[in-house]
Structures are given as C-alpha cells and as structure tokens.
Amino acid sequence: MVWWRHDVVYQIYPRSFRDSSGDGVGDLPGILEKLDYLADVLGVGAVWISPFFRSPMADFGYDVSDYCDVDPLFGTLADFDRLVKEAHARGLKVIVDYVPNHTSDQHPWFVEARASREAPRRDFYVWRDPKPDGSPPNNWLSIFGGSAWELDEATGQYYLHTFLKQQPDFNWRNPAARAAMLDVLRFWLARGVDGFRIDAFHFVMKDPELRDNPPNAAAHAAFHRGLGAYDLQLHVHDVAHPDLHDVLRDIRRVLDDAGAEGSERVAIGEAHIYDPHRLCAYYGAALDELHLPFNFGLLKAAWQARAVRTVVDAYEAALPPGSWPNYVLGNHDEPRIASRIGEDQARIAMMLLLTLRGTPTLYYGDELAMHDVPIPPDQAQDPWGKNVEGLGRDPERTPMRWDAGPSAGFCPPDAVPWLPVGGDVDRINVAAQRDDPRSMLTLTRRLLALRRAREALFAGAYASVDHEGIPETCYVFTREAGGDRVLVALNFSNDACEVRLPGVRLGELLVSTHLDREGALGEGGLELRPAEGCVVTLR
Ligand code: NOJ
C-alpha cells in the first residue's frame, strides 16, 4: 500500500513547534529535536511542515519571497537537509508547503514586474488598468478584507491579490511564469521531499476576462464560516476556473516524474470546498490531479452523530473509483477542535479521525487537546484578524506544550514566545500526559498504534451501520479488510446510552476513549458512557 494512503500526516506550524534558537519563534532545528517524539512516542508516518521559506512574514510565511531558500528565522537549507535525512532515517516522510497562487510583494519576480509596464516579467502577475473613474478593474474582493486590487501608483495599474496586498496573485496563464513555479517543485523534490501541501490551489485559475462576481442575495457563507463582506458576492469568477485542472495535471506530472514506485510523492491540495462532488473533481478525471484534495467536511459539520455521519457518507459516495479519502479536524486556520466541541468530545473526534477510511491529518497539539488561547488585542499577530474583526487565527497557533516549565518547554527559559502559551499548562503538555494512562496523548498513541496494526483500519472498506437499536446520538460504522472486521461506536452526547445490535457478534473491545476497559464483549450490543467511543472487533 502506498505510504500516503497508509500513514497519518502530522501538521507542524513551524513558528510554534519548538524554538531552539531562543528568539521566541520555532525553527527547523527545533523540529529536528522532536523527531523521536513524532516517530516513536506518537507514531505518525509523515509530517507536513507549513512554510519556512524566505518571507517578509506579512502572512507568516504564506508570502514567499524566495521559494528555494529557508528563512533565517527558521534556519538554513543545511538544517532542512538534515531534517529530511533524520526524518527518513526514522521512517518519517516529509511534506512541505507549496504556495502557487501568490508570491510575496518582495519576491524578485514581483519587484521586477512592478518596476515598469514593459518589464519582462510584468505578466507573471495580474495587472489591469483602472476603470475610467480610477476605481479597480472589477468588483473582486480579498478574502482578507477590502478590494482584491491594489493600485500601483508608479505604473498606474492595479494588481490582483486574493489575500493580502503583500501577496500579489501569480499569473499561471503565462507559460514562463508557470514553468518557473513548476521548477520550485523540482527544487524541493531534488532535496528529497515526499510531497507537497498545495496552498489555496483553487484560486490559481480565475476567469480570464475578469468578469464581475454577481451579488449573493442570500448572503450565505462562501466557505464554512462567515467571512464578512466577502460573503456578499457569489464567487463565480474569481476562483476555480475550469483551466485549473490543466495546472493540477502539470503539477502532478512533475511529482510523478520524480517518484518511482516505492518513493511516490504526494500532492495534497488545500481548498475549502464543501460540496463532495465539486471537491472530488480535483482528483482528476483520470485520477491525474491531486492525490488528496483536503476534505474539510468535518470542520463544517455540526457536532452531532447524524450530521457527522451524513458528511462522511456523502463524501464516501462521491469519491471516484480508485481514489483515496482523507479527513482533517484542525489546522492553523481553524479554531481548535477541543475548543469547538469540548475536551470530552475531542476524544470522540480523535477516535473518528483515526478510524475513518482515508488519510488523516492531525494538527500539532490536538493530540494533547490543546485549546484556542485567547490573545489580547495588543498581542495580536495575524493580519487577517487585524483587517476583519473576529477572524484572527492566533488562538490556534500558540506554542506546542512540551512540559510544564517556563513557556511550556517551547523555547529556552529566558526567551519570550511569539504568542502566549495560554493556561492549563500543568495538565496539557507532553510530559504530563505521556505516562498518564488515561490522557488524550495516550488515547491518540493507542489509536495510532491500532491503526497501524489492523488492516481493517488502515485499508478496510467503510460502511455506516443503520439499525433501530442505535440511538440517534450515536454514530456506528464498520471497517473491514479480508478477515479483519471492526466496529466503531461513537456517543456524541454527554448522556449514557445503549447501542443494541441484535444478531451482531461483537468480539473484543480494543479501545475505549475512556481508556479504562477492554476485552471480550457479549452478544447484541454495548453500553456507552457519556462521550464514550469504542473500537470493537467483529466475529
Ligand atoms: C491558506 C493558508 O492555510 C493560510 O494560512 C494562508 O493565510 C492563505 N492560504 C494564504 O496563503
């Protein structure tokens, strides 16, 4: 089985994982220090490291000014090479971010492009004349607030930026620009990376005529949560033009050329698309685009058994034959799961994530049930939150907690972390939870080990179970491969309940989210305590 189907991916936000240098910001040598934790303590198979490339940090690395170098804040290329070598020595794959939709405004390509209308690389970006009244060329909006167009006074034209004005959109319709951005992939592939997480991929191709978006009379959210004024338009023309498929096939070809059998390189794509059919289109008609278009369905689902089951079943049904599913419960852009649904239900969520069919992506700190940390306005860092009130992402980006010491062991004791560590450090840290037989970390480790050990879990078919004996607060599904059959029963309520399954021959309880029982079960059903989930073998 190819590794990216089998392995669990762990997302590291490098600013926040481990600061080895003492400047309050995490770095690559810090990640290197923690590889044993990832490989041996936790037991994940791959790490995805969010951007560590040269950047003015207007969007904390998602504004890249040199795609082929490491920002000094995070270390050096030699540190990266060492990281890949050491990760591989421990059997860990390394996935890096790829930011194709926009560069930094400090990238030499943009600096050259904005120098004059005749600049050879002017067309690497999207430029248009103002309307006769001087206003922007069309009505497109930036996700991060305001118009998506910024006037460049010197040359008298506007440039497009889907995100910050410091993140000018790259023009993938220009063949030289496209070739240059594809070369970035080759640079990292040659350094041994195992794949890419492709940032905001569906924005890469827009309407070539740059037509206005129509108004959204219903004002429903464009994505999974309200984005303010952005939701007052229907985003028909500024995203996901059909030519995008051609770009994804180009990217995929570069990866396929680099990966022989046994060393396949993975293409994971980030887009907030919640309609399973639209999302699944990005596997490609011949499965020749993304291996894993991120499935964010669980981020949007109301935390109720039926709602979650519906999201999973609809997605499973939409998957093209031969494609492989994936699930995400959190990342650096989303409120933490433990804050969204509470710590008890976060254990259910972890069991769900690690027992569903498909590749799970686990956000750093969720294995400890880290919470969002409230950030006082004078310490706010995220530009989005500064532009649009309530949309800041600092709370989910706070330092990883390694121990109960100063700054939770994230940085040397005399350093000040770039974001506050937050409360509850005594309880929510790796050292405190590692040997606690009932901790969230222990649960996560148990589930990861179980997933590695059981073919039903890492490879088996999925089927949700319908039965009148299942209370509506419970979600029950089976996984099955060859002779290996397991049943997962999750109680989404904070009341006890009984799952009655007459005729179903339950075998052994392998793990409960409460971590206090296992062993043989009788016929016909099982009792679940409040917020309890169980993985059970079937005979
Ligand atoms: C999605 C990334 O996950 C987010 O953090 C970033 O701000 C935008 N893309 C822009 O690159």
Side-chain angles (χ1 to χ4, degrees):
M1 186 173 190
V2 65
W3 68 269
W4 54 263
R5 293 183 179 225
H6 178 274
D7 289 343
V8 174
V9 179
Y10 184 89
Q11 182 194 351
I12 293 177
Y13 194 66
R15 292 184 76 82
S16 302
F17 199 57
R18 162 74 188 151
D19 166 26
S20 72
S21 67
D23 60 1
V25 174
D27 44 47
L28 298 182
I31 298 174
L32 196 77
E33 277 178 35
K34 300 298 183 187
L35 288 180
D36 288 336
Y37 168 76
L38 297 167
D40 302 337
V41 177
L42 199 53
V44 293
V47 290
W48 148 37
I49 310 172
S50 291
F52 49 80
F53 318 111
R54 269 194 196 263
S55 165
M57 303 290 162
D59 188 20
F60 296 116
Y62 282 99
D63 50 320
V64 182
S65 57
D66 184 349
Y67 286 91
C68 300
D69 202 0
V70 173
D71 195 278
L73 197 58
F74 296 121
T76 62
L77 270 177
D79 291 330
F80 182 76
D81 291 342
R82 214 152 35 95
L83 181 59
V84 172
K85 193 165 161 246
E86 293 291 328
H88 285 171
R90 290 164 176 78
L92 281 173
K93 304 287 183 186
V94 178
I95 298 165
V96 299
D97 234 287
Y98 179 56
V99 188
N101 179 66
H102 43 269
T103 72
S104 159
D105 62 348
Q106 305 298 308
H107 195 291
W109 293 334
F110 189 72
V111 173
E112 182 191 317
R114 83 185 306 173
S116 84
R117 289 193 183 205
E118 290 72 41
R121 291 206 175 89
R122 179 77 169 178
D123 192 45
F124 270 36
Y125 296 85
V126 184
W127 297 93
R128 284 297 182 280
D129 288 333
K131 283 188 176 163
D133 66 355
S135 62
N138 68 18
N139 71 351
W140 294 0
L141 296 172
S142 158
I143 291 187
F144 284 170
S147 168
W149 295 94
E150 179 72 10
L151 182 63
D152 178 56
E153 301 278 352
T155 58
Q157 284 190 311
Y158 282 90
Y159 66 84
L160 182 66
H161 60 92
T162 300
F163 295 91
L164 297 174
K165 66 177 185 210
Q166 296 94 330
Q167 294 167 298
D169 279 30
F170 196 70
N171 181 14
W172 276 80
R173 295 189 183 277
N174 176 303
R178 185 185 288 224
M181 200 54 108
L182 291 173
D183 276 345
V184 171
L185 295 168
R186 296 190 183 94
F187 176 87
W188 292 102
L189 288 166
R191 297 198 105 84
V193 305
D194 300 289
F196 298 89
R197 174 270 191 193
I198 305 169
D199 185 67
F201 76 83
H202 66 327
F203 289 103
V204 159
M205 282 295 196
K206 297 101 177 158
D207 175 26
E209 293 171 42
L210 305 180
R211 283 170 288 184
D212 274 353
N213 281 324
N216 178 6
H220 57 67
F223 300 121
H224 57 309
R225 55 190 166 117
L227 297 186
Y230 191 82
D231 294 332
L232 300 176
Q233 290 183 358
L234 292 171
H235 294 277
V236 177
H237 296 307
D238 53 351
V239 65
H241 187 274
D243 292 346
L244 171 57
H245 292 287
D246 194 41
V247 171
L248 295 176
R249 281 191 292 270
D250 276 3
I251 291 175
R252 176 63 177 273
R253 265 192 295 271
V254 174
L255 269 62
D256 287 351
D257 286 350
E261 202 179 323
S263 66
E264 292 87 351
R265 319 296 177 99
V266 70
I268 305 175
E270 185 238 13
H272 285 270
I273 302 172
Y274 292 88
D275 174 84
H277 287 283
R278 279 179 49 223
L279 177 66
C280 288
Y282 295 107
Y283 285 101
L287 299 186
D288 53 355
E289 298 180 26
L290 299 169
H291 296 104
L292 301 173
F294 261 148
N295 165 25
F296 292 141
L298 296 177
L299 299 175
K300 188 172 176 172
W303 200 253
Q304 293 157 357
R306 284 193 175 170
V308 171
R309 173 187 161 168
T310 302
V311 163
V312 175
D313 286 355
Y315 175 64
E316 275 276 349
L319 286 160
S323 68
W324 186 250
N326 78 92
Y327 291 91
V328 175
L329 270 181
N331 62 38
H332 63 292
D333 297 326
E334 301 301 327
R336 285 209 180 253
I337 187 77
S339 291
R340 179 155 80 94
I341 63 176
E343 274 183 43
D344 292 344
Q345 286 295 328
R347 296 171 82 99
I348 295 285
M350 188 61 80
M351 183 171 275
L352 176 72
L353 179 72
L354 298 179
T355 56
L356 281 172
R357 186 176 83 97
T359 304
T361 300
L362 178 57
Y363 187 46
Y364 85 92
D366 281 354
E367 74 272 33
L368 308 172
M370 271 175 64
H371 286 254
D372 290 337
V373 175
I375 307 294
D378 62 332
Q379 289 179 51
Q381 306 273 350
D382 183 20
W384 193 357
K386 291 180 183 173
N387 283 354
V388 190
E389 204 186 322
L391 293 182
R393 297 163 294 179
D394 297 325
E396 59 261 27
R397 297 176 173 181
T398 58
M400 175 68 175
R401 287 124 172 262
W402 297 103
D403 57 44
S407 302
F410 162 69
C411 50
D414 49 347
V416 181
W418 77 288
L419 282 173
V421 166
D424 264 343
V425 180
D426 286 357
R427 194 171 58 83
I428 303 181
N429 73 69
V430 171
Q433 294 193 16
R434 191 176 159 157
D435 299 318
D436 172 349
R438 311 251 193 282
S439 70
M440 181 70 167
L441 180 56
T442 302
L443 174 64
T444 308
R445 294 171 68 188
R446 281 287 301 281
L447 289 167
L448 284 165
L450 195 62
R451 187 184 173 93
R452 283 194 307 276
R454 291 206 87 103
E455 194 184 354
L457 289 177
F458 68 73
Y462 159 92
S464 47
V465 179
D466 272 316
H467 198 289
E468 60 190 21
I470 301 175
E472 69 176 58
T473 52
C474 288
Y475 172 22
V476 179
F477 59 89
T478 57
R479 302 288 315 281
E480 182 167 353
D484 191 21
R485 296 172 68 216
V486 303
L487 176 136
V488 181
L490 303 169
N491 181 0
F492 279 66
S493 90
N494 294 327
D495 295 317
C497 68
E498 188 187 352
V499 176
R500 278 178 290 107
L501 297 166
V504 176
R505 298 176 64 211
L506 301 177
E508 197 190 337
L509 197 162
L510 296 172
V511 59
S512 151
T513 47
H514 292 26
L515 292 172
D516 59 355
R517 60 169 173 150
E518 42 193 63
L521 288 167
E523 295 280 306
L526 75 161
E527 312 261 339
L528 293 178
R529 289 166 290 170
E532 185 178 27
C534 290
V535 184
V536 175
T537 58
L538 290 173
R539 286 183 285 146

